[in-house]
Amino acid sequence: MRQVKAMRQILMVVHQETSNPGLVGQVLQEWGYALDIRCPAIGQPLPTALDAYEGIIVFGGPMSANDDDTLPFIRQEMDWIAQVLEAEKPYLGICLGAQMLARALGAQVVLQSEDLREIGYFPLHPTAPGREFFTEPMHVYQWHKEGFELPSECTLLAEGDLFPNQAFRYGKSAFGIQFHPEITAELIEHWTSNAADQLLLPGAQARPLHFHQHKLYSQAVENWLRRFLWQWLYRQPAIAPDWSLSA
C-alpha cells in the first residue's frame, strides 16, 4: 500500500476556540499528517500562501454562513475559500464549511421550510453520480438548522430526507458535506452538554438516542471516512480492503 510521508500538513479551519477536529484529525494524524489548526473567529489569520498544505478542511460552527453582514470573519473566510478553489487545493467543507463553499459558489443557504433541525443521526442516500464516494446508504451525525442549495456546475453526491442536499462536488477536488464525520462519543458528550437547549428544538433527537445510535453507526461512518479521505487527498480510487485499518 502507498505510504504517506510524515509531516505533510493539512490546514484545518475551526470556528470556536474549543473546537476539536475529532475523528477526521485522528485519521489524518495516524496517516502521518501534521495539523495546522486556525480559528478566524478569534482573530487567527488564514494563510494566503497554500503551497505548504496537502489539503484544507473547514469545519462547522454555531454561526451561519449568512452572518457575513454581522461577523466580518465570515465574509473574509468566504473570499479566502474562493482563493483556495482557484489554487485547486483539495478542499473539504463540513457543515458550515460546506455552506460557505456553497455561498462562495453563488448558491443560497436557507432554513428548512418548517423550521426543523437535523440534530442526531439521520439517513443519507447516495445519488447515482455519488456512488463513487458513497457506496451505500448510511446514517450520519447531523447538527444544523440551515441547508444549502446546490451550486451551479456542482454534482450532488448524497441526499437526505429532510435536507435534500447533503454532499456535493465542485471540480476535481472541492467537496461540501452537511453532516459531521468527525464526531466521536467525546464530541457528542461535549456538544449535547454545552448546547443542551438545542435538543429541545423541533427535529432534534433526545440525548440518549445520540449515544445509542453512535454505537450502531459510528464504525460504518469511520470506514467511509477513511475511504473518502483517501479519495479526496489523492484523487484516485481507494484501494484498501478494510478502512478500519490505517493507510
Side-chain angles (χ1 to χ4, degrees):
M1 180 172 293
R2 178 176 178 175
Q3 296 297 312
V4 179
K5 293 181 180 179
M7 301 314 294
R8 290 182 178 179
Q9 286 194 93
I10 302 292
L11 178 63
M12 294 191 163
V13 181
V14 300
H15 298 99
Q16 292 179 290
E17 191 171 8
T18 57
S19 293
N20 184 325
L23 183 61
V24 170
Q26 293 170 25
V27 170
L28 291 170
Q29 286 181 311
E30 178 186 313
W31 289 358
Y33 285 94
L35 310 181
D36 182 358
I37 301 176
R38 308 284 184 100
C39 184
I42 61 171
Q44 294 178 349
L46 296 172
T48 55
L50 302 173
D51 291 346
Y53 304 104
E54 299 292 313
I56 292 150
I57 302 177
V58 178
F59 287 86
M63 59 287 297
S64 169
N66 294 319
D67 286 343
D68 50 315
D69 56 342
T70 57
L71 297 174
F73 79 86
I74 293 288
R75 168 49 54 191
Q76 294 165 3
E77 194 168 331
M78 284 192 292
D79 291 343
W80 177 81
I81 288 172
Q83 298 176 28
V84 174
L85 298 178
E86 185 176 354
E88 297 186 339
K89 282 285 181 181
Y91 174 96
L92 174 58
I94 296 173
C95 197
L96 177 61
Q99 294 170 1
M100 287 197 288
L101 173 61
R103 282 207 64 196
L105 293 171
Q108 293 187 352
V109 171
V110 295
L111 292 169
Q112 199 269 347
S113 59
E114 299 177 15
D115 198 26
L116 296 175
R117 276 77 171 163
E118 282 185 324
I119 300 178
Y121 274 92
F122 291 84
L124 185 79
H125 313 285
T127 64
R131 291 190 181 279
E132 177 183 356
F133 303 98
F134 298 87
T135 58
E136 59 186 4
M138 60 182 184
H139 281 71
V140 293
Y141 196 74
Q142 307 270 16
W143 196 298
H144 64 99
K145 67 177 182 179
E146 293 179 309
F148 50 79
E149 295 179 341
L150 183 67
S152 62
E153 301 183 8
C154 290
T155 301
L156 185 64
L157 304 177
E159 299 174 304
D161 297 334
L162 189 61
F163 287 80
N165 298 331
Q166 287 287 335
F168 69 94
R169 181 181 188 178
Y170 174 74
K172 295 181 178 180
S173 56
F175 293 81
I177 59 176
Q178 182 65 76
F179 57 98
H180 289 277
E182 79 274 23
I183 202 68
T184 62
E186 291 76 17
L187 285 177
I188 292 176
E189 175 70 35
H190 179 70
W191 292 9
T192 58
S193 297
N194 286 20
D197 59 308
Q198 298 291 305
L199 303 181
L200 303 176
L201 298 173
Q205 296 174 357
R207 188 172 190 261
L209 190 57
H210 290 228
F211 293 98
H212 173 70
Q213 295 198 110
H214 186 70
K215 291 179 181 178
L216 294 177
Y217 302 127
S218 60
Q219 188 60 64
V221 174
E222 178 176 347
N223 292 344
W224 171 84
L225 176 64
R226 290 176 178 276
R227 182 177 184 274
F228 174 78
L229 288 176
W230 187 278
Q231 292 171 295
W232 171 67
L233 281 171
Y234 300 118
R235 308 185 196 187
Q236 64 183 29
I239 58 174
D242 182 356
W243 288 98
S244 64
L245 302 177
S246 61

